[in-house]
Amino acid sequence: MLVALFTENRRLLKETMTQSEELYHQANDRKYQIFQTLKRLQDQKVETGHFYIQVVDYLTEVTKALLHCTRPAFEHIDNHHHGFTQEQIYDLKLVNDGVDNIFNKINEMLRERDFAGLDDVLTMRDNLFIVIADAIKNQIKRLKEEQTSTKASMLYLNILNETKTMVLQSRNLIKSQAYFLSQMKSADNGAAENSGVTAQEAQN
């Protein structure tokens, strides 16, 4: 999205916004279907239900934050407002690099189903929040010196705040997903053990 915003590519921004809307609606639909999913859980997996609820809630919040970045970005360029300054672009690129690193790590953990790197994500998140805080401070200085337009400043600060929300909820999401899969595995192991005992008793 940021590249499209930096280059004021209206078509690409619209596509990104449309994709974000679809992701949000999919996540929101899953939220409304949550009780049907919980009803299908086997008895030994009922304890995993609240972790599943957390995963769905956090996923909805992540996609909502993404949409709250992409929609204002498209509307800003679509209404022919001024784009960002080179200083703003530089700061946002630093933020974007941090976000990319975090989501690459999260995707790796989800793909491998290995969540040993949860603490690493927490550290990366905290470091990113420092970068975001510095970017906000820089923007406040620019506002005082009247180096940027009000509309661009509002969009810039909105992107930073929604990015922070998105990363925060993503870390919560991956943590809940780890707990959910761990509890599902424990439930499966417990069911297998119970089944084994029953079979042995039957043989006796």
Side-chain angles (χ1 to χ4, degrees):
M1 181 203 79
L2 287 180
V3 173
L5 182 57
F6 297 158
T7 58
E8 301 184 23
N9 188 326
R10 181 182 175 279
R11 180 187 60 80
L12 187 54
L13 282 171
K14 186 173 183 179
E15 290 178 2
T16 305
M17 180 188 68
T18 300
Q19 292 171 356
S20 299
E21 288 175 341
E22 291 174 355
L23 288 173
Y24 173 69
H25 289 313
Q26 288 172 9
N28 211 36
D29 288 344
R30 182 173 295 184
K31 190 172 183 178
Y32 283 107
Q33 296 170 2
I34 198 166
F35 294 111
Q36 295 177 3
T37 302
L38 293 176
K39 287 179 181 178
R40 291 198 299 269
L41 287 176
Q42 298 176 11
D43 291 342
Q44 68 269 23
K45 296 181 180 179
V46 169
E47 293 299 320
T48 67
H50 68 287
F51 290 120
Y52 179 76
I53 291 172
Q54 287 180 343
V55 169
V56 173
D57 279 341
Y58 291 139
L59 179 61
T60 303
E61 293 303 314
V62 169
T63 56
K64 184 194 297 182
L66 178 62
L67 180 58
H68 287 173
C69 285
T70 58
R71 182 182 288 162
F74 168 72
E75 291 174 350
H76 183 85
I77 299 302
D78 193 46
N79 289 322
H80 306 289
H81 294 307
H82 291 295
F84 289 144
T85 65
Q86 289 300 314
E87 291 80 8
Q88 288 173 316
I89 290 174
Y90 175 80
D91 285 347
L92 284 176
K93 283 183 176 179
L94 291 179
V95 172
N96 190 61
D97 289 343
V99 172
D100 279 347
N101 291 335
I102 289 172
F103 278 99
N104 286 338
K105 184 67 176 179
I106 288 176
N107 286 335
E108 178 187 339
M109 287 192 291
L110 288 173
R111 185 172 58 251
E112 302 295 332
R113 292 201 169 192
D114 180 359
F115 301 95
L118 274 172
D119 288 340
D120 293 337
V121 173
L122 180 61
T123 300
M124 295 164 70
R125 185 202 70 182
D126 290 344
N127 290 336
L128 175 64
F129 285 177
I130 293 174
V131 175
I132 291 176
D134 288 340
I136 292 174
K137 291 176 184 176
N138 291 339
Q139 182 58 22
I140 292 173
K141 292 178 182 177
R142 287 190 287 265
L143 278 169
K144 288 184 176 181
E145 297 171 1
E146 298 183 352
Q147 296 180 11
T148 180
S149 70
T150 302
K151 290 286 186 181
S153 296
M154 290 174 61
L155 176 61
Y156 177 88
L157 293 173
N158 176 75
I159 289 174
L160 291 176
N161 287 327
E162 293 298 338
T163 297
K164 187 173 181 179
T165 298
M166 184 167 57
V167 171
L168 180 66
Q169 300 294 3
S170 294
R171 202 270 174 175
N172 292 337
L173 168 63
I174 193 69
K175 186 177 179 181
S176 293
Q177 178 74 355
Y179 288 148
F180 174 68
L181 293 177
S182 176
Q183 291 296 316
M184 289 287 284
K185 184 176 181 180
S186 296
D188 287 338
N189 290 339
E193 290 176 2
N194 291 335
S195 176
V197 170
T198 302
Q200 186 177 6
E201 291 175 346
Q203 291 175 0
N204 291 335

